[in-house]
Amino acid sequence: MNGRDDPVTELDLLAYVDGHLEPARQRIVEAWLATHPDDARRVAADIAINDGIRRLFRDSYLETPPAHLTEALETRRPAVPVSVAAAIALVLGAVGLGGGWWAGRSDLPVAMPAAQQAPGGARLVAAADDTDAVDWLASHVSANIRLPDLRSAGLRLVGQSVVGGPNKPTVQLTFADEGNQRIDLFLQPRVDDAQFRYEEADGRGLLSWTNGPVVFALTGDMPADRLQALAEQVYAAARQGPSAGVPDRMSRPAGAAAPPPGILPVASEGVAPGAE
Amino acid sequence: MDDVRWLIARELPRLRRYARALRGDAGADDLVQDCVERALRKHALWCRGTNIRAWLFRMLYNIHLSALRRGGRMPHFVPYDELAAPAAIADASAGLELSETARALEELPPEQRDVVLLVALEGLRYDEVAQVLGIAIGTVRSRLSRGRSALRGALAGRVGVAAKGAPRLRRVK
């Protein structure tokens, strides 16, 4: 391909900056830029400017809308909750994991190590002490998130709190079974395009999957088949809420791949915020 | 109706961001509130299945323009010394660059600024931008082209954006 027969235009350069070009056209533009340093500099500058504009208004996007705006919009839960939720990441982990297990995963709750040092104890943020942590997160990200009901898996909710700093609000939900074995479920907005990767340590597996704008990751100190069963519970519960539980209502977003639960050796890559 | 409320609530952070970009902190939430109220009144006019974001943004923008016409004053743009919440900006150099970006935006003609902001913040296609702003797609392109050219000029010497030798072509978004 070359640009001679189909010269690169001003519109090409604009659309390249905004990522609106078809792949074939994008390659043509890139070939053009490789040999036209002035245009290349210009495009690089435009990309940097776009990035600066996004950073400039990042806080406006992240902050919790004031109550007078949300009150008029308060609503009962719609029929299809999760597929319309804003970008939320769920991480299900086992209490007592070594801190190193999470090392290098900037997308995971920053408060994880602290929470582990003081299990059930001190939290970095007490914002949700007197309210429902899930509701707090839901209002924070304007998403309709519901508390997964895992009673059918023999798990009951024993604690919820908000961990992480104000820039990375994370809700920690603790469930326990009859034997008092605990699992923690973390919910975190992923408005920064956080991408979760698969990791494995000491034979511990991590189940992860994407559901629309939501990435789920599940781990626990238990056999893989038990984890898998729980993953299916989480999947169904997060989609359907406390009352329903019929497996064949587990509708998936259009274009979604195979059913998520499974021992996955791959990273699940999330959908960018704003994707419909 | 509940699901429309919910769909609108989802867009609140984006609506507030664009309102903030159009008006600055002062009038942004009033603008969003007017938009939400109008959207709730007129939700029957939204065609289900079409992009509610574009519908809401168009409403927001029209209210913004009407208010400008009524008030006969220019929008109060982002005061560049007031932005830069410490959380968002890690180091001084990034802060400097952002304040320069804000200043350069402030100096753009409003019609160019509205296009540049909408494209950068929301990633809308140019035809969607045309729909939101109620202008022709060719006008979107020409305003975007002129707006970006002006921003490059304004920022070239100050930020080093365009002055750096090796261009960075990788998309950062």
Side-chain angles (χ1 to χ4, degrees):
Chain A
M1 265 180 252
N2 61 60
R4 264 181 315 183
D5 297 335
D6 196 1
V8 167
T9 65
E10 169 72 12
L11 181 57
D12 283 319
L13 296 180
L14 290 174
Y16 179 80
V17 167
D18 295 316
H20 294 330
L21 289 179
E22 298 297 321
R25 190 67 191 161
Q26 185 171 327
R27 284 192 293 274
I28 292 172
V29 171
E30 280 168 354
W32 168 272
L33 294 175
T35 56
H36 293 77
D38 284 350
D39 280 345
R41 270 191 294 276
R42 166 233 160 114
V43 161
D46 283 351
I47 288 174
I49 288 167
N50 258 4
D51 187 48
I53 292 172
R54 281 191 290 271
R55 282 190 289 136
L56 196 54
F57 295 102
R58 184 172 171 273
D59 284 356
S60 303
Y61 182 75
L62 292 180
E63 72 183 26
T64 305
H68 71 271
L69 287 180
T70 52
E71 276 162 7
L73 295 167
E74 273 172 11
T75 172
R76 293 191 302 275
R77 287 165 175 163
V80 187
V82 172
S83 63
V84 296
I88 299 298
L90 287 168
V91 176
L92 184 55
V95 169
L97 286 175
W101 200 81
W102 307 97
R105 300 188 61 174
S106 62
D107 46 12
L108 284 170
V110 290
M112 188 84 72
Q116 286 161 7
Q117 286 155 18
R123 303 297 177 201
L124 297 186
V125 173
D129 272 359
D130 55 352
T131 181
D132 184 292
V134 170
D135 285 349
W136 176 83
L137 184 67
S139 68
H140 188 89
V141 298
S142 293
N144 196 20
I145 312 157
R146 56 181 44 164
L147 203 58
D149 183 352
L150 301 178
R151 281 174 299 184
S152 58
L155 291 164
R156 68 189 194 286
L157 183 71
V158 295
Q160 54 176 314
S161 58
V162 180
V163 300
N167 299 316
K168 271 285 186 189
T170 302
V171 165
Q172 178 177 10
L173 303 174
T174 304
F175 296 86
D177 64 13
E178 303 91 335
N180 211 27
Q181 184 174 25
R182 290 168 177 242
I183 60 170
D184 282 352
L185 178 65
F186 294 93
L187 298 86
Q188 184 185 75
R190 50 187 300 273
V191 287
D192 281 337
D193 273 338
Q195 291 182 0
F196 283 52
R197 294 185 303 264
Y198 175 77
E199 288 186 33
E200 192 174 9
D202 302 328
R204 190 191 298 276
L206 176 73
L207 290 167
S208 64
W209 66 91
T210 301
N211 191 340
V214 183
V215 173
F216 290 71
L218 174 68
T219 186
D221 193 9
M222 53 184 69
D225 55 349
R226 171 83 175 133
L227 264 185
Q228 167 134 5
L230 279 174
E232 286 164 6
Q233 291 282 342
V234 172
Y235 179 73
R239 289 194 69 81
Q240 295 173 3
S243 56
V246 187
D248 50 22
R249 282 191 59 215
M250 288 164 46
S251 58
R252 297 183 185 94
I263 303 293
L264 303 178
V266 294
S268 288
E269 192 168 300
V271 175
E276 290 292 337
Chain B
M1 182 57 195
D2 266 358
D3 61 332
V4 175
R5 280 207 181 90
W6 166 240
L7 288 170
I8 296 171
R10 273 178 77 209
E11 301 297 332
L12 272 184
R14 290 174 179 278
L15 291 168
R16 293 184 76 227
R17 175 168 63 179
Y18 192 50
R20 196 78 63 94
L22 288 172
R23 288 227 178 153
D25 287 351
D29 278 341
D30 288 346
L31 177 59
V32 174
Q33 178 151 22
D34 288 350
C35 175
V36 166
E37 285 170 0
R38 186 179 295 188
L40 289 174
R41 277 198 312 275
K42 302 193 168 185
H43 72 275
L45 296 180
W46 169 58
C47 301
R48 279 172 190 279
T50 63
N51 187 345
I52 198 167
R53 180 172 303 156
W55 184 70
L56 289 169
F57 268 79
R58 170 145 205 195
M59 205 173 291
L60 182 91
Y61 192 71
N62 284 341
I63 296 169
H64 167 67
L65 288 186
S66 311
L68 283 189
R69 279 193 291 268
R70 260 201 327 273
R73 60 188 170 84
M74 294 304 292
H76 166 70
F77 194 59
V78 188
Y80 55 82
D81 48 351
E82 286 176 23
L83 41 93
I89 295 157
D91 57 69
S93 66
L96 174 68
E97 183 184 331
L98 284 188
S99 71
E100 298 290 355
T101 302
R103 192 199 306 266
L105 279 168
E106 195 169 11
E107 288 164 358
L108 282 187
E111 68 273 13
Q112 292 176 23
R113 188 168 63 223
D114 296 349
V115 173
V116 167
L117 285 169
L118 195 53
V119 169
L121 291 176
E122 300 306 329
L124 296 179
R125 297 194 316 266
Y126 300 156
D127 60 322
E128 293 172 321
V129 173
Q131 189 196 345
V132 167
L133 301 182
I135 55 181
I137 187 168
T139 310
V140 170
R141 291 169 184 154
S142 64
R143 287 182 184 176
L144 184 64
S145 174
R146 279 181 283 135
R148 284 200 173 140
S149 172
L151 286 177
R152 279 195 304 274
L155 293 172
R158 295 191 257 173
V159 194
V161 160
K164 278 177 187 159
R168 189 174 49 123
L169 293 181
R170 202 164 56 79
R171 296 254 307 129
V172 289
K173 187 173 171 186

